[in-house]
Amino acid sequence: MTAPAAPARRGGRRRRSGRRGGDSGTKEAILAAARTRFGDYGYVGATIRGIAADAGVDAALVHHFFGTKERLFAAAMRLPVVPSELVATALAPGAREPGQSLGEHLLRTVLGAWDVAEMRATFVGLLRSAVTSEQAAGMLREFATEAILGRIAGAAAPGPSGADAQFRAALVASQVLGLALTRYVLELDPIVRAGTDDLAAAIGPTLERYLTGEIR
């Protein structure tokens, strides 16, 4: 039986595989590098290649562990779900209950995610940072624009000049983020005490109008 071929060498040195001291240690090194890069360069400016270089691994290994930059961001920020996947599920055809509008269903999906303590704590932490730090606000804005608003715009109706799909998606974001701010950061008592049904009945029609209704 012939012996296995020796690993390819370049310039007399064995080529590095990009793997460091076990999967757990490697993942933590990547996540630490990602947090620093996202903080320093924002979501758009932080690249997989740059994060990999900081962590001392190959970019292919980052993709192997985390797949996309959004999934890496979610892991680095300790988000228990990938936001765009949550939104995509909410917007999927057939996801709504009979008679339920898209706006109401989207709001119920978001409220359900916020009901999970781990998700709420992480999201509120990001939100608090965004209202006190321009750097954090820029990172969150870039992430929301690239990973979330595009999906919402894809489900929105076309509009007249000045009310295109991106504008509709931004209006939805203003309503949802405003709700999060008043419910979890400012903690306005009537909003804090309101249940999912109350909020869905009050705000769902507004989201529906932003998504599909007339906007002047």
Side-chain angles (χ1 to χ4, degrees):
M1 185 176 212
T2 58
R9 295 172 181 265
R10 180 174 294 177
R13 299 176 63 184
R14 181 172 296 177
R15 295 178 64 185
R16 194 176 68 177
S17 68
R19 191 175 296 274
R20 313 168 19 147
D23 286 358
S24 178
T26 303
K27 285 184 178 180
E28 286 305 315
I30 293 170
L31 290 173
R35 291 184 194 105
T36 299
R37 277 267 167 177
F38 284 130
D40 289 346
Y41 296 95
Y43 182 76
V44 174
T47 64
I48 293 289
R49 187 179 297 275
I51 291 167
D54 290 350
V57 301
D58 297 331
L61 192 59
V62 179
H63 286 294
H64 170 74
F65 282 136
F66 299 101
T68 64
K69 184 165 79 168
E70 184 191 354
R71 283 185 166 273
L72 175 58
F73 180 85
M77 299 298 116
R78 298 182 176 90
L79 293 173
V81 299
V82 179
S84 70
E85 295 177 3
L86 180 71
V87 172
T89 299
L91 298 176
R96 287 174 272 165
E97 297 291 333
Q100 191 177 68
S101 71
L102 179 59
E104 180 184 348
H105 179 67
L106 179 60
L107 184 65
R108 285 182 179 274
T109 301
V110 172
L111 289 171
W114 290 343
D115 280 343
V116 179
E118 184 182 5
M119 180 67 178
R120 181 173 65 252
T122 303
F123 175 71
V124 172
L126 289 172
L127 193 60
R128 289 182 186 275
S129 297
V131 299
T132 57
S133 164
E134 176 55 36
Q135 185 179 39
M139 180 179 67
L140 189 58
R141 178 173 58 249
E142 290 171 359
F143 173 71
T145 300
E146 185 167 306
I148 300 174
L149 295 187
R151 291 184 180 273
I152 296 176
S161 177
D164 60 13
Q166 283 73 27
F167 181 59
R168 289 179 181 273
L171 289 174
V172 170
S174 72
Q175 192 75 40
V176 173
L177 291 175
L179 174 60
L181 186 66
T182 54
R183 187 172 172 87
Y184 301 116
V185 178
L186 299 179
E187 296 184 344
L188 295 183
D189 189 57
I191 301 298
V192 172
R193 289 188 289 106
T196 296
D197 290 340
D198 295 327
L199 293 171
I203 301 173
T206 300
L207 295 189
E208 182 67 15
R209 182 172 70 85
Y210 288 161
L211 287 168
T212 64
E214 183 177 357
I215 301 175
R216 293 189 180 275

